[in-house]
Amino acid sequence: MATASSFSVRAILEQAREYSRLEMERRVQESELRLKSLESALTSLMELRDRERAVLDMLKYLLSPIYTLPAELLAEVFERAIDAETHIMDVFRVSQVCSDWRQIAHDTPRLWTRGISVTLDNKGDRREQAHTDGWKAWLARSAALTIPIALRLESADICHDLLGEVLKTASRWRYLRLDLPDHGLTLIRRLAQHKLDSLEGLDLEDRDFIEPLGGVIPSFTTAPRLRKLRMGIYSSLPTPILVPWSNLTDLTLHHCPTPDLALDVLAPCTGLAMIIVRTSGWLESVLPRSDTLVLAHLDALTFVLFGDAKHFTPFFGSLSTPALQRVCVDFAEMRTTEHWTEARFTAFQLRAPNITWLELLYADLTSDDFAAAILHAPSLTHLKLFRCSCFDDTAITALRYEDGVAPLAPRLNCLVLEGMLHDVSDDILASMIASRWWTDTAFASRSDPPVVARWTHVELWYDLSEHFLLKDIPSDILITSTRSYPYETVYEFK
Amino acid sequence: MVLLVTSDNEQFQTEKDIVERSVLIKNMLEDVGESDQPIPLPNVSSSVLKKVTQPSTGPTEIDVRGRYLSTASTTVESPSRPPILEQSQDETRKRTTDISEWDQKFITVDQEMLFEIILAANYLDIKSLLCRRWLQDGSQHDQGARPPEEIRKLFNIVNDFTPEEEAQIKKENEWAEDR
């Protein structure tokens, strides 16, 4: 057989010119057979080569360092590679690398327990079965572990197969968020009938559920672990659901039409540690209720006012919260100026002597109101004011520490002042801040130590960094800036 | 200072706050109390221990190319936001703001050493070394896991799925995109 190097088409051509036609046809057949045989051999060789390559790769993999990692360690690494936002894609990706990794991922239920959002609407096409099968397989992977789940529905047309699969896991729901249309009470009623043994949090968002008269109120009172609830209250009718109120520790009420209604809902919630109430105030001045509501375990209270009603302090006048530490009052959504009744807020503070964090947002109180609020918060360590009219030179001076004078807020060490509405004097502000700061050396040399705390954090939306009174305060303690922040960050202390 | 003895019998005097990043060693120290006795680490070689106890200002992670990553995380507690009922898996009101930056003076180790470090970190129980960036692109945060083919290439892993498994994977991916 001619090799590639000795092969000459011209030589073969010269030789073939001598052949008879019959001889040529015979040689053509022979050549075609030879070619077929060669191609077959080549295919076999290529298969052998690919097989050998796979064996080599496999051997290399078995020798590779990653193969030495024990399965439980790989599972730990997988878990760390999964982000909350992309967890479904992430866990699929690691489980689709090789059969070993797939097995490990499938044998590690905790990888499949991040929050999921299931859309229950019937898509009405051939994808429906695949959709249901996909969720069924996903939910099965978390085995017996609890899961946070959100159920979404936009129309009245539910995919019942999918709902059936989802409901099979109801006893494993740790958090349940329901994003349902206004007529969603029927579905809520159906969900509430299931054993919700693991349910710790229920989020009804801020929907206004429309209930036909005489409808049965969905009851979650058999959810023994339920502690957290978020719901909207839109009318003076009873709440759209029943829960084990006295077991709740965290409650968020949206759109409460009146503070009275909020107080009615709060009344049976004697175990609350955190409340967020978004409500309008009263249109007219009212007296606090005669029956004070005692929330003995309440640690954090956020009160957000909206709308036109401007009287709100009777809400506080009706509360007794001896363990309360953190208070935020936010007037940002009011369309009018609130009526701050100092005496009633003071009465509330006297029944809440342990407040350490106070945030006031868009509060329209006088510097006297402010001074009274600070005076009655003797444990205060953190103060944040955002766009509050009270913060003027008088208020700043009230916070200034002087030796021998009983100070306001002696434990205050964190101060955030943002978006002041009045002009304040740089010197007065700097002087107040400097009065509550000293270096370690200065402290050691004092015969009578100051009776106020030293700043741990001061944040101002003013550039006072060059002020001579503040030059000793380190830049990680005193942060001055003229930049603006997105609204979302307004709530947070550093 | 704490005296550590590695599998190859080298002794290391190491600062207590560094070695206490290891839950194993921390527990041992708590058990024995103040003592000059050396702590044997039979599963850790000296070369690996040097890497694992690399001093840093914060928790140290190590990425897939063996680069050390210094991180400093701050946890901001928000008293007034209502995310209690959100689906976050940590189920706390804490928001963690990762402000880490790649340490420019990274140390490069080969993959074999990298995995020895990981095994040692596992033995010593130093979770921060089990870096999530392993399977992610280390240059950015929060972008999820690398695609399977990239992971295979990176670690010399063979795709050994059967055609049936490949079909199942295809279905999984279609569902994930369409759900």
Side-chain angles (χ1 to χ4, degrees), chain A residues 98-109:
Chain A
C98 66
S99 61
D100 280 352
W101 283 33
R102 190 168 181 80
Q103 194 62 47
I104 293 168
H106 286 183
D107 290 347
T108 311

Side-chain angles (χ1 to χ4, degrees), chain B residues 4-12 39-50 113 116:
Chain B
L4 305 174
V5 183
T6 58
S7 58
D8 46 348
N9 267 328
E10 269 204 51
Q11 298 197 341
F12 285 81
I39 294 180
L41 299 173
N43 291 356
V44 186
S45 69
S46 55
S47 56
V48 171
L49 188 66
K50 275 179 201 160
M113 170 60 90
E116 279 190 51

Side-chain angles (χ1 to χ4, degrees), chain A residues 56-72:
Chain A
L56 180 65
D57 286 348
M58 189 59 75
L59 289 170
K60 276 185 179 171
Y61 168 53
L62 295 178
L63 284 171
S64 71
I66 199 163
Y67 187 72
T68 62
L69 292 187
E72 62 272 22

